[in-house]
Amino acid sequence: MKVTISVIKADVGSIGGHIRPSEALLNKVKKVIADKAKGLLIDHYISYTGDDIAILCTHKRGVLDEKVHKMAYDAFLAGTEVAKKQGLYGAGQDLLKDSFSGNIKGMGPAVAEMEIEERPNEPFLFFAADKTDPGAYNLPVYLSFADPMYNAGLILAPSQEKGFRFTVMDVEYVDADRVVDINTPEEMYDLAALLRDQERFVVESVYSRKNNDQAASVSTTRLHNIAGTYTGKDDPIMLIRTQGNFPATGEILSTFTIGHYVAGFMRGSHHGPLMPVKLNSSISYFDGPPVVSCAAFCIRNGILSEAVDAFDHPYWDWVRGQVSQKAQEIRRQGFFGPAMLPFSELEYGGIVEKLKRIDKKFKVKK
Ligand code: 13P
Ligand code: 13P
Ligand code: MG
Ligand code: MG
């Protein structure tokens, strides 16, 4: 049976700055989706990570479906009204376009979707990150699907021995989706060369080379491309199917042990380590650190099991301690050097005016 798994997420307002949405806002989004789900969706699950609300749903309508996207858009619009009434910060923050036409891509909210031929058992993972951008997933995806140091299955499982195909997007190209397909293991160095540049090249999807089945889908929205200015960080979401011809769940999770440095954190303008957190976690220190949550599911005929919190385990408490130390270490140097993002990323923010003003005062010495 063909099933589509869609996740659409947006920040439409949060309490106390960019910490987390209110209960009233969440309940509004839940109610709108529950009302509209009939005849449209098979199942759905609504959660938050930091100040972002994600609507995960299953249906039979394929990707980029107008009705499914409009449902999410309407829920976020209704949520924005509640956020305004409650005086929440950043009400409607990610709704950057006023009128809906066709699908929600390019309007602000992040989208990750896959149409799959459902396996007799169908485990998958839903990742949601806050205070960072889509490049945050480059390293974990690379290690999960191309590196036997993390994915033992690349050596041990015949089902993975042909490797994977990565579709990588050039997110600096704004007129259309500009993508390249890279096959691993043969083109691993090409993949590494692209993915090291997290702000420009991001993994959009991954496919098994055994049978062409889609393994992963990542949201690629760069909000500053849409808004032309800094309005908030992209806060990407990702779906990954696991087991069988794909990496095991634990192999994928293992790559999040690193707490690698990503762009985001305070005002979306710094580097900070990505901390794996529990579902429905809030944000704190320096509007961060950048966080990622993971809900594990199985589906049958499109019906979702309950969500299991993949980072709710004593092991990850230890990781969180390590990541806090990494956060503290880079924060000690404030705005200097790699602690703050390079100018190419900051140019969407207020510093541009400041530098223009100072530039006029420069003199060339005779
Ligand atoms: P969000 O993108 O999560 O709203 O965060 C914005 C920000 O600037 C935090 O300091
Ligand atoms: P202010 O408008 O309060 O400076 O907000 C900054 C911020 O949170 C960036 O998203
Ligand atoms: Mg926000
Ligand atoms: Mg956010």
Side-chain angles (χ1 to χ4, degrees):
M1 172 180 146
K2 266 201 176 356
V3 176
T4 309
I5 309 171
S6 300
V7 196
I8 304 177
K9 85 81 257 196
D11 172 356
V12 293
S14 52
I15 300 178
H18 298 276
I19 290 184
R20 52 153 278 193
S22 67
E23 290 299 331
L25 166 49
L26 271 165
N27 288 338
K28 185 69 184 183
V29 171
K30 284 180 184 169
K31 177 153 191 335
V32 174
I33 300 300
D35 289 348
K36 290 180 186 276
K38 251 195 160 177
L40 187 64
L41 305 181
I42 303 172
D43 208 350
H44 66 272
Y45 168 81
I46 293 162
S47 59
Y48 69 88
T49 301
D51 57 5
D52 296 291
I53 298 178
I55 302 164
L56 184 151
C57 59
T58 55
H59 53 93
K60 305 203 72 166
R61 306 180 58 89
V63 301
L64 294 174
D65 180 72
E66 179 164 358
K67 282 197 171 147
V68 171
H69 283 214
K70 180 76 166 47
M71 168 202 73
Y73 179 75
D74 288 345
F76 289 134
L77 219 50
T80 299
E81 287 313 306
V82 173
K84 282 183 183 159
K85 266 194 203 128
Q86 291 190 299
L88 300 191
Y89 193 71
Q93 181 182 291
D94 287 354
L95 302 183
L96 300 176
K97 298 268 161 78
D98 289 335
S99 56
F100 182 90
S101 63
N103 72 70
I104 207 166
K105 266 199 172 170
M107 298 186 72
V111 184
E113 297 182 291
M114 287 196 248
E115 187 177 34
I116 61 168
E117 187 61 52
E118 196 186 84
R119 298 170 289 175
N121 52 70
E122 186 60 67
F124 74 92
L125 303 174
F126 161 50
F127 291 92
D130 189 33
K131 307 298 183 264
T132 187
D133 56 31
Y137 293 129
N138 279 7
L139 179 63
V141 172
Y142 171 85
L143 296 175
S144 295
F145 289 95
D147 189 345
M149 294 287 283
Y150 284 79
N151 178 358
L154 292 169
I155 300 172
L156 301 177
S159 59
Q160 291 186 60
E161 101 199 330
K162 287 198 172 132
F164 293 90
R165 186 176 80 253
F166 292 69
T167 301
V168 176
M169 188 179 288
D170 174 359
V171 291
E172 268 180 22
Y173 191 86
V174 291
D175 297 337
D177 288 351
R178 185 167 184 264
V179 296
V180 63
D181 283 341
I182 307 276
N183 286 315
T184 57
E186 308 91 282
E187 300 175 307
M188 249 181 93
Y189 297 165
D190 292 356
L191 183 65
L194 291 175
L195 297 191
R196 61 153 290 283
D197 190 352
Q198 300 185 92
E199 304 314 308
R200 173 153 188 205
F201 298 111
V202 306
V203 177
E204 184 219 41
S205 46
V206 182
Y207 298 82
S208 162
R209 292 176 70 198
K210 184 183 176 207
N211 58 6
N212 236 7
D213 266 7
Q214 185 165 3
S217 171
V218 186
S219 67
T220 51
T221 313
R222 301 277 355 241
L223 290 172
H224 62 53
N225 286 347
I226 302 169
T229 176
Y230 180 71
T231 57
K233 215 56 182 173
D234 316 315
D235 302 340
I237 47 179
M238 171 166 75
L239 291 168
I240 298 188
R241 297 166 77 195
T242 67
Q243 311 293 148
N245 295 333
F246 307 125
T249 292
E251 286 164 341
I252 290 159
L253 296 179
S254 75
T255 66
F256 288 89
T257 296
I258 300 168
H260 62 298
Y261 289 110
V262 298
F265 224 160
M266 175 57 71
R267 294 176 189 271
S269 306
H270 296 81
H271 282 121
L274 186 65
M275 180 184 281
V277 293
K278 294 179 191 178
L279 298 177
N280 303 314
S281 283
S282 61
I283 290 296
S284 179
Y285 169 65
F286 203 57
D287 280 6
V291 296
V292 60
S293 66
C294 178
F297 292 95
C298 277
I299 49 172
R300 187 68 180 151
N301 300 321
I303 296 168
L304 295 162
S305 65
E306 70 261 40
V308 169
D309 190 339
F311 292 135
D312 183 5
H313 183 279
Y315 173 78
W316 297 104
D317 292 336
W318 175 82
V319 169
R320 287 187 271 270
Q322 304 279 311
V323 172
S324 295
Q325 279 182 17
K326 285 184 76 168
Q328 189 50 34
E329 206 43 58
I330 195 155
R331 285 312 319 133
R332 270 155 50 90
Q333 66 180 68
F335 59 84
F336 277 90
M340 195 176 263
L341 296 190
F343 186 73
S344 55
E345 282 293 309
L346 295 181
E347 69 185 339
Y348 301 94
I351 201 167
V352 179
E353 292 307 312
K354 196 186 297 304
L355 289 177
K356 266 191 202 152
R357 183 166 49 72
I358 303 169
D359 193 64
K360 289 194 191 112
K361 298 208 273 187
F362 269 88
K363 292 189 183 81
V364 179
K365 278 191 180 178
K366 294 263 158 40

